[in-house]
Amino acid sequence: MDIVVLVSGRGSNLKAICHAIDAGTCGANIVGVVSDRKKAAALDFVDARGIPSRVVPLRKGDDRDLWNDSLAETVTSLNPNLVVLAGFMRVLGAPLLERFPGRIINVHPALLPAFPGHNGPQDALDGGVRVSGCTVHIVDAGVDTGPIIAQAAVPVLVSDSADSLHARIQVQEHRLLPAVIHQIAIGAITLDPFTVTTPVADPSRSLTVPDA
Ligand code: GAR
């Protein structure tokens, strides 16, 4: 299964996907990485690994519609079966969503539908919850609102800062995201824009997530 990964920053989830591919636990092939930021640290890793990369920048004052068109063209030109948002901090517009209906997934650092948006870990701390985690879901036009595919939970400690909680959540993201991609690749999870058939919905299947 050919995938394009969209990133904005550090790229630790992208690295986790690459490591799982190398380890033979994620049956995907990364045909390209697209960033909205030229200086995203993830791009250094991508270049070192020889993965094709593209930057579709969105600067203050830029026309958002043009950017959405350009992003859709760029991703489409790489011809993926699945688009993976791994720390991509922009809301997608109609052009990309319409070209890949039900074939765009995102990882988010909270147990959706709680705490969507840019500050999942801090919002969980502010909300006083004792358990948080990460969610992999299908992307729709909302902010972290699409159908949920899989989740992993972590405890929230009294001593946590947003950074320490995020770090604990990321350990789970790095296991869950490659595992979900693999399950989609082998057909154990099927997606469409409105429903997800997961191992949870079908008890005869089990979502296998490798140990950290
Ligand atoms: C990840 O924790 C991801 O869940 C989050 O950004 C981080 C990117 O880390 N995404 C969101 O908050 C989307 N709403 P990474 O660049 O190291 O993979």
Side-chain angles (χ1 to χ4, degrees), residues 4-14 17 32-38 40 42-43 54-58 64 67-68 70-72 74-75 83-93 96-97 104-109 117-119 137 139-140 142-144 166 170 173 177:
V4 164
V5 183
L6 271 56
V7 298
S8 295
R10 202 157 56 100
S12 70
N13 278 287
L14 170 67
I17 296 167
V33 169
V34 179
S35 172
D36 62 321
R37 290 183 51 240
K38 203 166 90 183
L43 293 176
R54 311 269 190 280
V55 179
V56 185
L58 179 63
R64 188 96 193 191
W67 178 79
N68 272 308
S70 174
L71 183 67
T74 302
V75 174
V83 180
V84 178
L85 274 53
F88 189 69
M89 305 307 267
R90 304 281 186 185
V91 178
L92 300 183
L96 188 58
L97 292 170
I104 308 176
I105 64 171
N106 178 46
V107 61
H108 179 73
H118 278 41
N119 298 308
H137 66 97
V139 175
D140 64 11
V143 177
D144 303 317
H166 196 183
Q170 285 219 293
E173 290 186 337
L177 183 59

Side-chain angles (χ1 to χ4, degrees), residues 7-60:
V7 298
S8 295
R10 202 157 56 100
S12 70
N13 278 287
L14 170 67
K15 287 180 195 164
I17 296 167
C18 289
H19 293 151
I21 290 171
D22 292 347
T25 56
C26 181
N29 173 40
I30 302 178
V31 292
V33 169
V34 179
S35 172
D36 62 321
R37 290 183 51 240
K38 203 166 90 183
K39 292 191 173 155
L43 293 176
D44 298 336
F45 170 76
V46 166
D47 291 345
R49 209 180 150 97
I51 299 170
S53 67
R54 311 269 190 280
V55 179
V56 185
L58 179 63
R59 299 178 203 90
K60 219 174 168 184

